[in-house]
Amino acid sequence: MGTSRRQFLGLTAAVVGSAAVGTVPASASATCRAVSNTLYLGTYTSESGGGTGIGIASYDVATGQLTSTGVLAGVQDPSFLILSPSGRNLYAVNEQSSGGVTAIAVDAPGQLRVLNRQPNGGNAPCHLALVANGKYLLSANYGSGDISVHPVRTDGSLGARTDLVKHVGSTPHAHQVLQDPTGNYVLAVDLGTDSIYTYTIANGKLSLKSQAKVKTGAGPRHLAFHPSGRYAYVANELNSTITVLQYDGVTGKVTPGTAQATAPAGPTNYPGEVIVSPDGRFVYLTNRGHNSVAIFAVESGGASLRRIGTPSCGGDWPRHVTLDPTGKLLLVSNQRSNNVTTFAVDTQSGGLTPKTSFTAPIPVCVLPG
């Protein structure tokens, strides 16, 4: 991770401060991976107390228990991870000032082998997406405010970068890139320009179609789609809100709507990750500062959210949250307290029941395999 990103919240608020959940395009559904009980853990290897690469663990849905099973050492600052739909390849950012992306073969769940690493031309890449039926790997570069494109070879390794698109505006900080539910558009969320950009991709090149702006100074970080594809929800890091977005899958146009606070009044708070339950009935969001998981009930077919709880995250500075494939186990990566907490999910009420805490070095991403 580049210095500018690592110190960003420290410079602005005296503190130190993925997979978005959406629907899988129909074209990719036939190659979706089989469910395993494996987890891959992202960390910072260049920070004191950090890991040595990508952590590997197993988990039990019923008990929430996590067990370390190894590490793929040598992958530098793998702060964000994604799997290919088939599960045969894992991709990691190398969140450093001279950013890169690493391709990894998954020979079996939990058995990893580095294929190659490519420089991505950006500073502090922090998010990844596979798009165009897995033909390209895109990375969002926080430090330099741009999006990189790499072709994916048939063996899962990465070719040389084919595009680098910089966002224009006041101090751009690209924080997320993802494919929309239709598979026709790529969205990029930029914290610095308070914008969500819509692109198309062809022949390894991105073309801008539209730009939507949220409230100035909100600092949009990550968004997640409702399963209907007609709405999405963006976590705004700098003003501690979540905004409902209306989405037109035909044109790729994003229309920001109502925003609301993600935590009760109290300590300064910075939302982190946002996800949607598989049935689309609940939204979960990490509150860094309030140290909680905000739970929202989804209403009006996805058009509105109602906050129904903010239980403790079980640690300090909850950076990332994810659900296992069953939707019954929620995992929170607590960056500062070096632990991953697990919660049983009540799929009827959306409520969370604490299960266990697992010690890990600076966990900032947990990916079920």
Side-chain angles (χ1 to χ4, degrees):
M1 178 194 273
T3 300
S4 61
R5 174 166 158 77
R6 285 184 179 172
Q7 295 180 346
F8 177 67
L9 292 177
L11 294 172
T12 58
V15 293
V16 179
S18 236
V21 174
T23 57
V24 178
S27 58
S29 62
T31 58
C32 284
R33 62 185 180 271
V35 175
S36 78
N37 68 335
T38 302
L39 293 175
Y40 302 110
L41 289 79
T43 183
Y44 290 119
T45 60
S46 61
E47 288 192 4
S48 175
T52 59
I54 298 172
I56 307 169
S58 63
Y59 69 96
D60 184 293
V61 174
T63 65
Q65 187 71 40
L66 274 60
T67 304
S68 177
T69 58
V71 62
L72 177 65
V75 181
Q76 296 300 304
D77 290 317
S79 65
F80 192 80
L81 311 168
I82 61 169
L83 277 165
S84 63
S86 68
R88 291 193 292 268
N89 293 103
L90 176 70
Y91 299 94
V93 298
N94 305 122
E95 195 168 334
Q96 301 173 318
S97 56
S98 295
V101 283
T102 297
I104 298 153
V106 181
D107 294 324
Q111 297 180 23
L112 306 180
R113 174 172 48 89
V114 172
L115 292 172
N116 73 331
R117 179 191 184 277
Q118 290 281 5
N120 80 339
N123 177 292
C126 61
H127 199 270
L128 295 169
L130 284 164
V131 305
N133 294 319
K135 290 175 61 178
Y136 301 104
L137 180 77
L138 275 57
S139 47
N141 300 307
Y142 181 89
S144 49
D146 41 40
I147 305 297
S148 304
V149 181
H150 288 268
V152 178
R153 298 168 177 155
T154 55
D155 66 350
S157 65
L158 297 171
R161 176 171 54 85
T162 57
D163 204 4
L164 182 68
V165 176
K166 189 171 183 64
H167 293 159
V168 177
S170 176
T171 319
H173 289 301
H175 217 309
Q176 184 193 33
V177 62
L178 72 161
Q179 185 168 266
D180 85 329
T182 71
N184 295 323
Y185 297 100
V186 171
L187 303 185
V189 182
D190 194 296
L191 181 148
T193 64
D194 294 311
S195 296
I196 300 159
Y197 300 84
T198 299
Y199 295 95
T200 56
I201 187 168
N203 300 316
K205 302 289 185 180
L206 291 168
S207 298
L208 181 64
K209 303 301 291 184
S210 60
Q211 177 181 354
K213 298 204 71 170
V214 297
K215 183 177 180 180
T216 299
R221 177 185 172 96
H222 282 189
L223 69 79
F225 275 99
H226 186 269
S228 70
R230 295 184 292 115
Y231 300 98
Y233 314 100
V234 65
N236 299 306
E237 179 173 329
L238 300 186
N239 71 356
S240 190
T241 64
I242 185 170
T243 301
V244 176
L245 309 172
Q246 186 174 345
Y247 186 67
D248 186 333
V250 176
T251 65
K253 183 180 179 181
V254 174
T255 304
T258 303
Q260 64 177 289
T262 65
T268 304
N269 185 65
Y270 302 91
E273 186 64 274
V274 58
I275 59 174
V276 182
S277 64
D279 60 10
R281 296 179 59 204
F282 303 100
V283 169
Y284 299 94
L285 176 149
T286 56
N287 281 315
R288 298 172 299 169
H290 190 257
N291 285 344
S292 63
V293 178
I295 308 170
F296 296 89
V298 177
E299 300 179 334
S300 303
S304 65
L305 299 177
R306 177 171 54 90
R307 198 178 74 214
I308 57 176
T310 51
S312 170
C313 67
D316 187 8
W317 214 252
R319 168 74 169 268
H320 187 256
V321 63
T322 191
L323 288 161
D324 88 298
T326 70
K328 297 178 180 179
L329 187 69
L330 184 137
L331 303 99
V332 179
S333 305
N334 295 304
Q335 181 175 352
R336 291 184 179 175
S337 51
N338 297 315
N339 71 314
V340 176
T341 50
T342 62
F343 298 82
V345 179
D346 185 323
T347 57
Q348 296 304 306
S349 70
L352 302 176
T353 301
K355 301 295 285 186
T356 65
S357 176
F358 172 77
T359 299
I362 312 184
V364 291
C365 180
V366 174
L367 176 67

